[in-house]
Amino acid sequence: MLAYIVRRVLYAILILIGVNLITFVLFFFVNSPDDMARMQLGAKYVTPDALQKWKADHGYDKPLLWNSKASGPGKATETIFYEKSLRLFAFDFGAAEDGRNIGNEIRTRMGPSLALQIPVFVVALCVNITFALFLAFFRATYLDFWGVVLCVAMMSISTLFYIIGGQYLISKVWHLFPISGYAGGLDAWRFVLLPVIIGVVSSFGSSARLYRTLFLEEYSKDYVRTARAKGLAERVVMFRHVLQNAMIPILTGVVAAIPFLFMGALLSESFFGIPGLGSYTIDAIQAQDFAVVRSMVFLGAVLYIIGLLLTDISYTLVDPRVRFD
Amino acid sequence: MKALLRIFLICLLFLAGCEGAWNDPYSESVRGGMTLYSSFSERPKHLDPVQSYTEDEAKFTQQVYEPLLQYHYLKRPYELIPLTALEVPKAREIEGGKYTVYDIRIRPGIMYQPHPAFVASNFSLGKTEIDKLKSPYQLELGTRELVADDYIYQIKRLAHPRLHSPIGGHMNEYIVGLADYAKKLKAADRGGWLDLRQIPLDGVERIDSHAFRIKIRGSYPQFVYWLAMPFFAPVPWEAEKFFDQPGMAEKNFTLDWWPVGTGAYMLTENNPNSRMVLERNPNYRGEPYPSAGEAGDRERGLLADAGKTIPFIDRVILSREKEAIPYWNKFLQGYYDSSGIGSDQFDQAVRVSIEGDAVVTPEMEEKGIRLTTSVATSIFYVAFNWDDPVVGGSSERSRKLRQAISIAFDNEEYITIFANGRGIAAQGPVAPGIFGYREGREGINPVVYDWVDGKPQRKSIETAKKLLAQAGYPNGRDARSGQPLVLSLDTVTRGPGDKASFDWYRRQFEKLDIQLEIRATDWNRFQEKIRKGATQLFRLGWNADYPDPENFLFLLYGPQSRAKSQGENASNYLNPEYDALFERMKNMPNSPEREKIIDRMVEIARRDAPWIWGIHPKDYSLRHAWLANDKPNNMARNNIKYLKVDTEARAELRAQWNKPVLWPIALIVLVLALSAFPAILSYRKRERMAARPAA
């Protein structure tokens, strides 16, 4: 297993260089260093000298990818790409264009993101699997039919509708939870309860329907018939046999999603005023803050790679037939 | 499912146990007391007064930092009054007008807010000590008196090589030696704290501990207005030295994020992602609430606290609200004391009375919400690029074309459709409330309007068509080539929502049979096109920096041409007579003679029509009945110190408006139970079912 992990880590370095390069090219395809300087300095009284000074101070006065005026390795190293990308591999994210330390921001914002995402993830997983098992148990009955109808209806509605509707109904009309806001520490639960409910409800339709399909597929297999023939109760067949064997496809999606919990939820964080990493990324894109965009994309790529690796490892845990060699 | 339901019910029990309403968005630690609840939508980029320039940032910086001067809170037109200075400085010309000097004396006894930078032992903190800090205010705090050196230090910071002051370039032209000073600092900069006290600046001289002199090139009467902005607020050298310690920046402890001032408030919690908290500065000297205002202020209750010592509010909680819907709903629930009005909420909040005035709707009235309106010192216009061969230039042909388009372009309709009536059609470049702006008949633009029945009336489309024909484009076709006239308008697009306004723009030109091509792009490309002069028509706006007509009229001053000198004259308008008058006018104090020159300049501009004059937006804001002394001030944002809150009335109304409604929870539980019932029955039936049906 160790050799496998080492091999995957080596692949990861190449992937991360590629991700960095693509982010860099895409960002500078639509933004020039001059645009970034203007964005930071504002629209009034900006002189060409002030622009030049900003670029020099922030290291954007060099060529983007290739410095033909430099000699030797300097042609590649004395460039914006090299200087801005290299230190990411040491997880040194540097400072945002407004001067705030990105590492500190990520550490501070990770908490609120996780406070929202972990309950949504866990509760949604439990609810969706339970409901899918319920539908599978009552397959081909009116309960199954109306359950699927409900899933299809719920997955057809936009997340934004759930957020706005939830805020309106639960907070504005019923006055049960704060409509938005956040507080650190133990007080956080008051603010995350509403987004968690909405997060669970909005993911319900599509996930429950997918899991139901997976369970039904397992139901038709021989081992299920054998289990029943042994006289096992349907409850035992469901939870001990069907659920366990349907775990591989479920894990593929679920384990890979775990690292992404750190990255936050873009929409929910904005609407509920939760100061997590999702809203940080959105803000950075709007402010054309390349330093933050680059760092968040890099972090996302690292987490994705970790997620895939964890998925592979988790296969061996749920299915003894899977081996790394 | 049962377990989840239990957790949910436990949470509800917790909520029931909480003090205050269940939906109260404030935690107990910040609830109650003489607190003002407000919001901000954009994360501030800078709170360092040398770099900060946006209105969102001014909301914070102007409560903490005190420049030498401020605007009178109630009087209109805006009037400069001393803040930390003893008096508004008078310009004194020297060397035959080659230079102007301002001698400034500050009040003695003004103390800084408590801050760790004023304790010497805090200059040598270890990295571990810094790592443990959650806020700089956890350290031992000290203070000291404000001295003239602090103002001098800040003026020097305008040229700091690692700070990027937006007005640095502009001030280089005026403050003697500032440009050279920047070079000196660059040469002296070795990283780390740059002690500006050791490097003298020619244009700023210390007279004594509480007085200093600023020397500027030539005459620049508008310079005093800059002295009312945070760019000229005092910065103690100790603050720079304190925040420069290794490990501070990694914790985001910088002067850019933790302002240190003498103002009524100090920033004690700094989380620009979620919440900023301003608390009363215990060392604040206090200021009397104004005893005079403009007509009507007394009737509006704005002078009820005349002479009382301000500030009234102890704490300000500013929460970040990125989305309009939660922001608006929280205002209606009483969790924000005042609010702006988004276009989506306009109909819910405002209606037009029979007399034609904007008033709040009965729903708002029932809650005691009041509406305040004020015309902003801003202008949004459509500019013609003066360098364009078709619409630009001083020829009769292009002038008449511009005039015809100006008549056809119905700004009143635009205001009604797209701004809910929140604006007035501009008659020239100068905004209302600014010296030189004229009301009534004498203030109308005679190129576009006639005075009919005591109000301006836009000239008919026939008049516009006649002008168009005289310009050589009868029926929208070039008389020489017979080709249809096609013009292009560059603008920034925010998304599909702009389509309606683009269609409306096209329709205005269609009235003259002119085809309009909209070139929508992003802000950067748009700015680039204007810089290069690669536009024909474009939309732009301007917010006044200070209440002087020079700050509007310079937008049409030839040497400020954007394409030629990267100045603020984005339309590249050029008229030698206008420019000559501008040069005379800009150095004059407000007087009938100056007004006469402004009248002439406006007349020239109206005739040449380099802009379709566009609109002056009207700001509408709502406030709850418990908030007093709130008056819009377009020139300054240091208004919090004047505000007062009736906290008892607020608490009572909040509780009344936010009683939890519990029956839906019972209903949900009932529905879930009823849905589970047939499933349970069916499950039991299945479990008892035999493998084969009984024979």
Side-chain angles (χ1 to χ4, degrees):
Chain A
M1 191 199 274
L2 187 68
Y4 177 80
I5 292 171
V6 169
R7 199 165 67 234
R8 289 288 295 265
V9 168
L10 291 175
Y11 288 158
I13 293 171
L14 291 175
I15 292 168
L16 288 173
I17 292 172
V19 166
N20 239 321
L21 186 64
I22 291 168
T23 313
F24 184 87
V25 170
L26 284 177
F27 188 90
F28 283 103
F29 185 72
V30 288
N31 299 291
S32 68
D34 273 21
D35 295 337
M36 294 165 67
R38 279 176 205 285
M39 194 62 139
Q40 295 301 321
L41 294 173
K44 286 178 165 182
Y45 304 109
V46 180
T47 61
D49 283 350
L51 286 179
Q52 197 51 41
K53 188 180 161 199
W54 188 93
K55 287 192 291 179
D57 198 34
H58 288 80
Y60 290 109
D61 57 340
K62 296 186 172 68
L64 292 175
L65 285 163
W66 189 252
N67 189 347
S68 53
K69 286 179 188 159
S71 57
K75 284 182 187 298
T77 57
E78 289 172 30
T79 58
I80 297 175
F81 176 70
Y82 183 84
E83 291 187 359
K84 300 285 176 191
S85 302
L86 191 68
R87 59 184 184 183
L88 284 179
F89 287 87
F91 288 92
D92 174 7
F93 299 117
E97 310 305 357
D98 63 7
R100 285 180 81 94
N101 186 281
I102 298 172
N104 189 280
E105 286 280 308
I106 291 173
R107 281 190 293 278
T108 314
R109 285 168 169 264
M110 208 178 264
S113 277
L114 289 175
L116 170 64
Q117 292 287 79
I118 288 177
V120 171
F121 179 76
V122 174
V123 176
L125 197 63
C126 295
V127 169
N128 297 339
I129 287 179
T130 310
F131 190 70
L133 279 171
F134 173 85
L135 294 185
F137 181 80
F138 291 107
R139 65 201 171 280
T141 66
Y142 75 97
L143 280 171
D144 181 31
F145 174 78
W146 286 110
V148 173
V149 168
L150 179 71
C151 288
V152 172
M154 289 183 76
M155 65 192 277
S156 310
I157 298 169
S158 142
T159 308
L160 200 61
F161 179 86
Y162 285 114
I163 292 175
I164 295 172
Q167 283 184 327
Y168 177 80
L169 208 64
I170 300 176
S171 181
K172 196 191 169 194
V173 180
W174 297 342
H175 307 138
L176 295 178
F177 303 115
I179 200 160
S180 70
Y182 189 76
L186 289 176
D187 214 16
W189 71 272
R190 278 194 332 115
F191 297 93
V192 296
L193 210 52
L194 179 60
V196 165
I197 292 169
I198 290 171
V200 170
V201 171
S202 64
S203 71
F204 178 78
S206 52
S207 301
R209 199 167 152 265
L210 172 72
Y211 298 154
R212 173 188 167 274
T213 312
L214 298 174
F215 293 140
L216 286 182
E217 200 181 320
E218 290 299 316
Y219 252 118
S220 60
K221 291 188 175 164
D222 289 343
Y223 73 87
V224 176
R225 199 177 305 124
T226 310
R228 284 212 193 96
K230 279 200 311 185
L232 292 178
E234 197 65 18
R235 187 178 70 249
V236 179
V237 174
M238 294 270 298
F239 284 96
R240 202 174 291 167
H241 295 275
V242 174
L243 179 60
Q244 198 172 345
N245 284 291
M247 280 312 277
I248 287 196
I250 292 176
L251 279 174
T252 309
V254 168
V255 182
I258 291 173
F260 273 98
L261 302 180
F262 291 89
M263 300 297 286
L266 303 181
L267 263 183
S268 293
E269 288 182 9
S270 282
F271 271 84
F272 290 103
I274 293 171
L277 289 171
S279 57
Y280 188 45
T281 311
I282 292 282
D283 287 351
I285 292 168
Q286 283 170 349
Q288 296 175 13
D289 193 329
F290 177 61
V292 179
V293 173
R294 179 192 61 211
S295 302
M296 293 309 292
V297 171
F298 182 83
L299 192 65
V302 169
L303 292 172
Y304 191 65
I305 289 165
I306 293 172
L308 290 180
L309 190 59
L310 287 177
T311 309
D312 288 353
I313 294 168
S314 67
Y315 286 163
T316 62
L317 301 177
V318 293
D319 189 348
R321 292 170 302 178
V322 177
R323 290 284 177 272
F324 284 116
D325 48 13
Chain B
M1 206 60 159
K2 275 181 190 167
L4 284 174
L5 201 62
R6 262 184 224 142
I7 293 169
F8 183 71
L9 289 172
I10 288 168
C11 288
L12 288 178
L13 282 174
F14 264 111
L15 274 170
C18 288
E19 222 179 275
W22 290 15
N23 64 353
D24 191 333
Y26 304 109
S27 51
E28 234 153 284
S29 57
V30 297
R31 207 179 284 158
M34 186 55 97
T35 305
L36 180 82
Y37 297 97
S38 186
S39 70
F40 62 103
S41 59
E42 288 294 319
R43 198 180 125 100
K45 283 181 190 163
H46 301 287
L47 298 178
D48 183 335
V50 88
Q51 299 195 84
S52 166
Y53 201 6
T54 68
E55 280 193 29
D56 297 310
E57 293 160 358
K59 203 175 219 177
F60 305 101
T61 54
Q62 294 198 10
Q63 320 310 326
V64 178
Y65 286 108
E66 289 191 303
L68 294 154
L69 309 174
Q70 65 178 338
Y71 291 96
H72 194 285
Y73 183 55
L74 300 177
K75 286 185 183 172
R76 300 290 179 276
Y78 294 99
E79 183 186 317
L80 271 183
I81 56 169
L83 181 56
T84 59
L86 274 175
E87 57 181 6
V88 177
K90 304 259 183 324
R92 183 162 54 86
E93 288 188 357
I94 57 168
E95 296 182 36
K98 193 177 173 192
Y99 299 106
T100 303
V101 292
Y102 292 89
D103 289 343
I104 300 156
R105 181 159 289 280
I106 57 171
R107 290 170 208 268
I110 295 175
M111 301 301 288
Y112 275 101
Q113 62 169 83
H115 197 274
F118 299 118
V119 177
S121 59
N122 288 335
F123 288 140
S124 49
L125 298 171
K127 190 151 184 340
T128 39
E129 212 171 337
I130 293 170
D131 278 345
K132 280 183 203 157
L133 291 176
K134 285 189 175 162
S135 156
Y137 291 100
Q138 288 173 315
L139 294 164
E140 188 189 343
L141 308 177
T143 186
R144 75 158 166 81
E145 192 190 1
L146 171 73
V147 290
D149 283 326
D150 300 331
Y151 283 99
I152 297 173
Y153 195 84
Q154 167 71 347
I155 294 170
K156 288 176 177 177
R157 293 177 83 238
L158 291 170
H160 197 293
R162 274 173 280 134
L163 299 175
H164 302 280
S165 180
I167 64 156
H170 186 64
M171 285 301 148
N172 279 347
E173 292 171 27
Y174 293 103
I175 298 176
V176 173
L178 193 65
D180 287 338
Y181 192 72
K183 287 176 197 155
K184 273 189 213 168
L185 292 185
K186 198 171 180 184
D189 188 17
R190 302 276 176 276
W193 178 49
L194 190 54
D195 188 355
L196 307 181
R197 293 172 303 164
Q198 309 305 325
I199 308 167
L201 167 62
D202 294 343
V204 188
E205 183 192 343
R206 181 182 188 271
I207 299 171
D208 60 43
S209 64
H210 288 80
F212 67 106
R213 178 173 297 142
I214 304 176
K215 186 176 171 187
I216 63 166
R217 271 190 215 97
S219 172
Y220 182 31
Q222 292 76 27
F223 185 72
V224 284
Y225 293 116
W226 289 103
L227 300 182
M229 294 190 204
F231 297 116
F232 287 86
V235 167
W237 63 268
E238 295 96 327
E240 273 209 332
K241 190 178 177 189
F242 170 77
F243 284 119
D244 198 62
Q245 295 178 81
M248 285 280 184
E250 285 75 16
K251 298 276 291 181
N252 285 333
F253 296 153
T254 63
L255 186 58
D256 206 12
W257 288 102
W258 291 93
V260 188
T262 58
Y265 296 95
M266 49 195 271
L267 187 69
T268 53
E269 188 179 326
N270 182 337
N271 183 355
N273 313 315
S274 176
R275 192 175 69 191
M276 309 282 267
V277 178
L278 293 160
E279 285 185 75
R280 183 197 279 262
N281 169 9
N283 300 335
Y284 187 60
R285 62 198 176 282
E287 222 186 302
Y289 186 89
S291 302
E294 66 174 333
D297 280 351
R298 191 170 297 281
E299 292 72 27
R300 283 191 286 267
L302 287 166
L303 287 168
D305 291 311
K308 288 184 187 166
T309 304
I310 57 171
F312 300 115
I313 284 166
D314 295 327
R315 187 167 50 177
V316 188
I317 309 288
L318 294 127
S319 309
R320 187 163 185 212
E321 287 292 352
K322 290 170 77 176
E323 301 295 335
I325 296 172
Y327 166 64
W328 174 246
N329 286 326
K330 275 158 92 172
F331 169 70
L332 292 183
Q333 290 172 337
Y335 295 124
Y336 289 130
D337 296 320
S338 59
S339 166
I341 311 174
S343 47
D344 291 342
Q345 289 83 35
F346 190 84
D347 291 338
Q348 192 188 346
V350 177
R351 67 186 169 91
V352 178
S353 69
I354 301 165
E355 295 80 30
D357 300 324
V359 290
V360 290
T361 55
E363 187 195 343
M364 300 293 121
E365 215 169 309
E366 200 182 307
K367 283 177 171 272
I369 292 170
R370 291 164 199 183
L371 174 73
T372 316
T373 64
S374 70
V375 179
T377 45
S378 314
I379 183 166
F380 290 90
Y381 56 89
V382 175
F384 296 98
N385 179 7
W386 202 254
D387 296 338
D388 182 79
V390 179
V391 299
S394 53
S395 69
E396 193 71 1
R397 181 180 163 90
S398 61
R399 183 169 58 79
K400 288 196 167 162
L401 171 63
R402 290 191 299 270
Q403 288 180 347
I405 294 172
S406 298
I407 293 169
F409 199 92
D410 192 345
N411 279 312
E412 290 79 5
E413 189 181 272
Y414 183 90
I415 292 165
T416 307
I417 297 174
F418 297 104
N420 300 108
R422 287 177 289 181
I424 57 170
Q427 303 291 334
V430 182
I434 305 288
F435 182 81
Y437 178 83
R438 287 186 181 274
E439 304 261 2
R441 184 175 200 152
E442 57 182 355
I444 66 161
N445 176 5
V447 174
V448 177
Y449 295 91
D450 293 317
W451 188 257
V452 181
D453 298 333
K455 58 183 180 185
Q457 188 179 72
R458 188 169 285 274
K459 286 183 192 290
S460 66
I461 206 70
E462 283 65 39
T463 313
K465 281 185 174 172
K466 209 179 282 175
L467 279 166
L468 190 68
Q470 287 169 8
Y473 301 100
N475 301 318
R477 284 182 177 270
D478 189 334
R480 290 180 294 203
S481 64
Q483 293 297 310
L485 179 59
V486 183
L487 300 178
S488 65
L489 182 136
D490 283 277
T491 182
V492 177
T493 180
R494 290 159 296 175
D498 285 336
K499 189 182 175 301
S501 69
F502 293 165
D503 288 343
W504 182 87
Y505 274 82
R506 284 191 197 97
R507 280 202 302 279
Q508 304 311 300
F509 285 75
E510 278 165 12
K511 290 178 196 169
L512 299 175
D513 299 314
I514 298 172
Q515 294 173 33
L516 182 72
E517 189 184 309
I518 304 275
R519 294 177 181 171
T521 183
D522 63 80
W523 174 250
N524 290 328
R525 299 288 82 73
F526 175 72
Q527 286 289 331
E528 192 182 350
K529 278 180 167 183
I530 295 176
R531 278 198 303 280
K532 289 180 177 168
T535 56
Q536 204 161 37
L537 288 97
F538 55 90
R539 293 198 296 185
L540 211 59
W542 179 259
N543 278 321
D545 293 300
Y546 43 81
D548 190 274
E550 179 265 357
N551 199 236
F552 285 95
L553 295 169
F554 91 123
L555 300 173
L556 295 168
Y557 178 52
Q560 279 281 341
S561 162
R562 178 74 54 89
K564 294 182 187 80
S565 58
Q566 299 296 296
E568 296 299 338
N569 175 3
S571 66
N572 308 308
Y573 174 58
L574 183 68
N575 182 311
E577 189 190 351
Y578 181 96
D579 292 348
L581 288 168
F582 177 82
E583 278 156 27
R584 272 179 66 199
M585 180 279 304
K586 72 170 187 174
N587 292 335
M588 292 169 78
N590 287 345
S591 61
E593 195 193 345
R594 192 182 198 216
E595 196 165 29
K596 208 181 276 178
I597 294 174
I598 293 167
D599 285 345
R600 176 64 190 145
M601 290 174 75
V602 171
E603 190 186 329
I604 293 168
R606 283 171 176 165
R607 183 180 162 275
D608 282 347
W611 297 353
I612 300 172
W613 298 108
I615 64 170
H616 302 296
K618 236 180 190 177
D619 293 333
Y620 279 35
S621 64
L622 298 171
R623 64 182 169 87
H624 284 291
W626 58 72
L627 182 67
N629 299 341
D630 186 25
K631 179 166 182 172
N633 183 342
N634 292 307
M635 281 299 131
R637 295 286 175 269
N638 64 343
N639 59 327
I640 294 177
K641 62 185 177 184
Y642 302 101
L643 301 179
K644 202 163 88 172
V645 173
D646 180 349
T647 51
E648 277 177 25
R650 178 171 64 190
E652 202 176 296
L653 286 169
R654 272 186 185 177
Q656 194 183 315
W657 293 343
N658 295 291
K659 282 181 189 149
V661 181
L662 295 173
W663 65 260
I665 299 170
L667 186 70
I668 290 168
V669 172
L670 190 70
V671 168
L672 283 176
L674 288 177
S675 330
F677 187 67
I680 292 165
L681 283 184
S682 173
Y683 174 75
R684 284 197 174 165
K685 196 175 158 192
R686 273 199 189 195
E687 286 291 285
R688 286 173 192 160
M689 204 163 64
R692 279 185 189 172

